[in-house]
Amino acid sequence: MAKRKLKNTQRLFFEAKNYLVGGVNSPVRSFCSLGGEPVLFKEGKGAYLVDYDNHRYLDYSLGWGAMILGHAYPGVIRQIKKSLSAGLGFGATHRSEVDLAKAICRAIPFVENLRFVNSGTEAVMSALRLARGYKRRDKIIKFTNSYHGHADFLLARAGSGLASLNIPTSAGVPRAFLKDTLVLPFGDAQLLEVTLRRFKHEIAAVLVEPVGGNYGVLPLDQEFLQETRKLTKKYSVFLIFDEVITGFRFRFGSLGDSQGITPDLVCLGKIIGGGLPIGAYGGSKEIMQNLAPLGKVYQASTFAGNPIVMNAGIATLEALKKESSGYQRSIALTSRLVYAMRKLEIPADLGLKIDFYGNMFSLRFKERRHFAELYRGLLKTGVYFAPSDFESNFVSFAHTQEQIDKTIVAFKHALTDL
Ligand SMILES: *Cc1c(COP(=O)(O)O)cnc(C)c1O
């Protein structure tokens, strides 16, 4: 396969590095885990992205999962344009905030009240503050390899053994900030119970991604989630579902509801903003009214509930509802892709593991360098996966069977070249 020339793209990235740290505004965008230079895109439409040298790529990264309808979805663009002419934001409650909140509350029935913020990070951070303020307890439990945004006290890697000292996964995070963050292995209900019992009356919440999307795809463990719900009730601890990736991903609503598991709080982001910056957290009125101005837990924002963002969210949810067959289709296409990839003759020593759930999938080799090689091969044939084996790939409502089949062929070639 001829190597694609990326003259303009490379030139732009070179210039970007002069002004932006590492040429990016978020680390994985730099291809830091792949080596070599990233591809930069000037536009997207449907399932495709176009780089600065006019090469087209079938996109499976989809703005880190936000663009479930595909890029530049006409109904969303139309609504944003319409909303632009009314002004960009007033810092006062706006019709569109009420409408998006109503749509989300109806789709996730246990959410009676919610609060919009500007990112998933803020949603999780604020939901935990609310849990701690409500329970008047400081400790929280999270699980190894789950990602909940970049709030200081969540950038923790567990030491060995129960509640041993956490090691920050980033410089600049004081150890003291992690002293109330307990990190447990996902799936070990016994250890969870031991921990809840040992720190009785100290733990405010258990935070969990119901399907993991940030350490590759960690498929659903319904039994463990149910057990976690049971235990958190027993010890009177909040269960918080971080559905920033999974919310509205597999169905019109939450993953928790589809599994019959109701958390105390849910965090949302990505999809509900239609591609614009958003986060939200919600739950029962009884819990949510502890937020200021009604309650004592403070959380504020200059931009939260921005009307342009809200309108993008409303248009996105309307489209998801109207075209809800897209869920079935994107899930079926993901199965098709994953089973075809798994069926190929893959040398056992590569140790390729393909995980998926619904319309999300991820690949990992025993050695990470093989992922980087495969990735380059895919890029050459115009297939853009998420640029790290720890990130999830997504299939959108815009992807077609023909595109999936092309991807299977591209994958086969890239694999043969390893
Ligand atoms: C993306 C993500 C976040 C962080 O959201 P940002 O908008 O990037 O701050 C938090 N939790 C999960 C599960 C995510 O996938």
Side-chain angles (χ1 to χ4, degrees), residues 301-354:
S301 167
T302 300
F303 292 123
N306 174 276
I308 313 298
V309 178
M310 297 293 112
N311 275 301
I314 292 165
T316 299
L317 294 198
E318 274 171 4
L320 289 174
K321 197 166 193 181
K322 206 169 103 217
E323 301 185 22
S324 60
S325 62
Y327 283 116
Q328 285 315 312
R329 195 173 59 247
S330 63
I331 289 168
L333 289 177
T334 307
S335 294
R336 184 183 180 92
L337 177 61
V338 167
Y339 284 112
M341 292 194 294
R342 282 183 180 170
K343 244 176 55 194
L344 297 173
E345 279 194 27
I346 300 162
D349 59 327
L350 287 177
L352 174 61
K353 198 167 157 287
I354 306 171

Side-chain angles (χ1 to χ4, degrees), residues 56-125:
R56 238 165 43 129
Y57 300 81
L58 249 177
D59 181 22
Y60 290 92
S61 179
L62 293 167
W64 306 99
M67 312 307 308
I68 190 171
L69 293 167
H71 297 281
Y73 186 84
V76 176
I77 302 293
R78 213 179 303 124
Q79 184 130 344
I80 290 174
K81 279 187 175 157
K82 203 167 110 194
S83 137
L84 281 173
S85 53
L88 300 183
F90 319 109
T93 297
H94 188 265
R95 175 87 240 164
S96 59
E97 293 172 74
V98 180
D99 288 347
L100 184 57
K102 204 191 286 177
I104 293 173
C105 290
R106 283 184 177 159
I108 310 179
F110 90 93
V111 176
E112 294 172 337
N113 272 187
L114 56 81
R115 171 70 54 89
F116 288 114
V117 286
N118 307 295
S119 67
T121 296
E122 279 180 72
V124 178
M125 186 181 83

Side-chain angles (χ1 to χ4, degrees), residues 371-394:
F371 180 81
E373 283 169 29
L374 176 90
Y375 193 90
R376 291 282 159 196
L378 287 172
L379 268 189
K380 269 190 251 171
T381 49
V383 173
Y384 186 79
F385 274 19
S388 162
D389 47 357
F390 288 135
E391 299 291 343
S392 294
N393 294 287
F394 306 93

